[in-house]
Amino acid sequence: MVTCLEGLTHVLSAVASCCESEGYNQTIGLEDPESLARETVFSVSEIEALYELFKKISSAVIDDGLINKEEFQLALFKTNTKECLFADRVFDLFDTKQNGMLDFEEFARALSVFHPNAPLEDKIDFSFQLYDLKQQGFIERQEVKQMVVATLAESGMNLSDDVIESVLDKTFEEADTKQDGKIDKEEWRNLVLRHPSLLKNMTLQYLNDITTTFPSFVFHSQVDDT
Amino acid sequence: MEKREEHPVAMNAFELISMSKGLNLGNLFDEQAFKRETRFTSKCPANEIINKIEEAAKPLGFDVHKKNYKMRLENVKAGRKGNLNVATQVFQVAPSLHMVEVRKAKGDTLEFHKFYKNLSTCLEDVVWKTEEDMQQVK
């Protein structure tokens, strides 16, 4: 009975401290680069350089240390009037706290997946969630069609419905090995392992060079010179 | 006479989707200069595209290696970071529409940009839409 109560208090205090440091308060400013570096693929210098990028993006419309949807669109498209299915999806995945804003922690954690050194499994995971528009745990043919149509519309390429259907046919023929009209996580993994180029946009080479792109971090750095 | 596959690789729906601007976060980093690959679409037959690229690349001082619908273009002269090496591949989006990827495989990125600029001038009658066209805000 006593051990049970002890266990319970332990759990409760763990939950409380978790809420305090992570879930409920947005971290404004770069409080703890070392801990972020530990939890991501980035080095402390890279976290600091990334923070410079974050400051640039997050101050574009409202200077509040957070990236809202408009600022995200601005950074991606250089215009904030463009509605985009994909940008919405990406923003949504970055926004792990689901409050419509990205703080630096969410920004760094999400971008960590795009680092050349990030585990392949993370990239496979992220891309699957990206394309799973309705978040049902599988990618439906309708969802793929929606994304193909959106991509074509963006580039002003008009293809007939027949042609689009035939592209989908070929894709599902290859991907949908269980032949149930949907692509589940396992089928997705097999597909991208056969076609690594499908994960091309899940790696940003720029992240390798980020400390040279944003060298001003050196002046604010907490890293010792020794 | 080279034996060639009948058609270029059919473009997978996800391959197409992954080219969407909204899914290319490299744009967050702003610098156009860093881009190491680009693409254009063409309504010409795949064979014609391959030939035109070869015709354009040779006078620019590049050796051309072809295999089916993939090509390797190697600058005979070494540049700032060794010999510029460019890989191209033709994909079939639809029977009358092809997507051509042009990617820096080795060498200096700025030199790649210069090369691509020269190449696209020579390919004017092959190119239907450039990447810039494709990403124009409506």
Side-chain angles (χ1 to χ4, degrees):
Chain A
M1 182 64 174
V2 174
T3 40
C4 174
L5 277 174
E6 266 178 13
L8 196 58
T9 2
H10 185 74
V11 169
L12 282 175
S13 65
V15 170
S17 59
C18 170
C19 289
E20 251 168 69
S21 63
E22 271 185 33
Y24 294 74
N25 297 322
Q26 301 264 216
T27 344
I28 311 289
L30 187 56
E31 283 183 10
D32 196 355
E34 276 98 5
S35 100
L36 259 182
R38 269 197 301 276
E39 294 162 34
T40 63
V41 171
F42 296 116
S43 67
V44 179
S45 312
E46 287 172 332
I47 291 282
E48 290 171 337
L50 201 61
Y51 187 61
E52 295 299 310
L53 173 65
F54 178 81
K55 279 196 290 190
K56 191 172 141 203
I57 300 175
S58 63
S59 57
V61 180
I62 309 173
D63 196 1
D64 58 354
L66 299 168
I67 301 178
N68 65 18
K69 182 73 87 63
E70 197 187 344
E71 288 166 332
F72 190 72
Q73 274 172 282
L74 202 59
L76 212 47
F77 304 116
K78 309 304 169 222
T79 171
N80 52 7
T81 57
K82 191 169 162 116
E83 282 290 307
C84 177
L85 170 72
F86 299 114
D88 281 351
R89 216 43 221 117
V90 173
F91 188 88
D92 204 43
L93 280 180
F94 272 53
D95 184 14
T96 47
K97 291 167 193 159
Q98 285 291 290
N99 59 2
M101 300 286 235
L102 302 180
D103 62 22
F104 181 62
E105 200 188 331
E106 290 169 308
F107 186 72
R109 283 188 207 278
L111 278 181
S112 176
V113 177
F114 291 81
H115 195 284
N117 299 337
L120 185 62
E121 232 12 78
D122 289 357
K123 296 179 195 278
I124 295 177
D125 246 352
F126 197 97
S127 54
F128 183 77
Q129 286 181 69
L130 198 55
Y131 298 139
D132 178 10
L133 302 180
K134 289 187 251 174
Q135 298 155 73
Q136 297 170 300
F138 47 79
I139 304 173
E140 283 177 332
R141 191 184 165 108
Q142 224 7 67
E143 288 170 320
V144 184
K145 185 166 188 179
Q146 197 181 346
M147 292 189 284
V148 169
V149 168
T151 307
L152 292 172
E154 243 185 45
S155 50
M157 280 193 275
N158 282 320
L159 293 181
S160 70
D161 198 59
D162 284 343
V163 170
I164 296 175
E165 287 292 327
S166 109
V167 171
L168 291 172
D169 282 342
K170 286 192 213 112
T171 304
F172 270 76
E173 211 179 282
E174 191 180 358
D176 185 17
T177 48
K178 292 172 194 158
Q179 299 196 324
D180 58 358
K182 2 191 231 236
I183 299 170
D184 63 25
K185 182 74 160 306
E186 199 189 325
E187 288 168 321
W188 175 247
R189 181 184 293 110
N190 292 333
L191 185 69
V192 301
L193 289 176
R194 279 201 306 279
H195 299 282
S197 64
L198 293 184
L199 290 183
K200 198 170 42 182
N201 59 336
M202 290 306 303
T203 294
L204 296 171
Q205 290 297 335
Y206 309 102
L207 291 174
N208 257 334
D209 307 324
I210 193 161
T211 51
T212 44
T213 323
F214 294 93
S216 59
F217 78 89
V218 174
F219 301 113
H220 313 297
S221 180
Q222 297 175 27
V223 176
D224 277 330
D225 275 330
T226 47
Chain B
M1 229 349 226
E2 256 175 43
K3 179 175 175 246
R4 191 176 275 171
E5 275 171 17
E6 240 186 70
H7 293 293
V9 174
M11 188 151 250
N12 182 294
F14 291 103
E15 189 95 55
L16 191 62
I17 293 166
S18 70
M19 293 181 189
S20 161
K21 196 167 187 185
L23 291 176
N24 280 285
L25 298 184
N27 294 311
L28 289 178
F29 295 81
D30 202 40
E31 307 291 339
Q32 266 301 104
F34 279 83
K35 268 185 43 170
R36 296 152 208 230
E37 77 166 59
T38 184
R39 54 189 68 96
F40 62 86
T41 51
S42 175
K43 287 189 160 172
C44 299
N47 283 327
E48 198 180 311
I49 299 172
I50 294 282
N51 291 335
K52 284 273 162 74
I53 295 178
E54 184 174 4
E55 264 172 38
K58 282 196 172 145
L60 293 173
F62 283 74
D63 266 345
V64 176
H65 305 274
K66 291 186 287 193
K67 187 170 177 190
N68 292 323
Y69 295 92
K70 288 196 208 186
M71 290 168 84
R72 254 314 173 98
L73 312 170
E74 285 176 34
N75 197 341
V76 175
K77 273 186 6 202
R80 268 180 19 178
K81 291 190 186 163
N83 303 65
L84 180 62
N85 232 271
V86 176
T88 78
Q89 186 166 6
V90 180
F91 293 91
Q92 185 181 55
V93 181
S96 58
L97 183 64
H98 294 96
M99 174 101 56
V100 184
E101 253 185 26
V102 183
R103 180 175 48 92
K104 180 195 82 164
K106 208 180 87 165
D108 185 50
T109 307
L110 288 174
E111 279 171 25
F112 170 66
H113 273 261
K114 214 172 121 197
F115 164 73
Y116 184 69
K117 252 173 98 175
N118 289 331
L119 187 74
S120 19
T121 337
C122 304
L123 292 179
E124 259 168 12
D125 45 351
V126 169
V127 174
W128 179 45
K129 285 188 193 282
T130 63
E131 191 160 16
E132 264 162 31
D133 296 333
M134 289 195 261
Q135 287 166 0
Q136 218 144 68
V137 178
K138 300 220 179 85

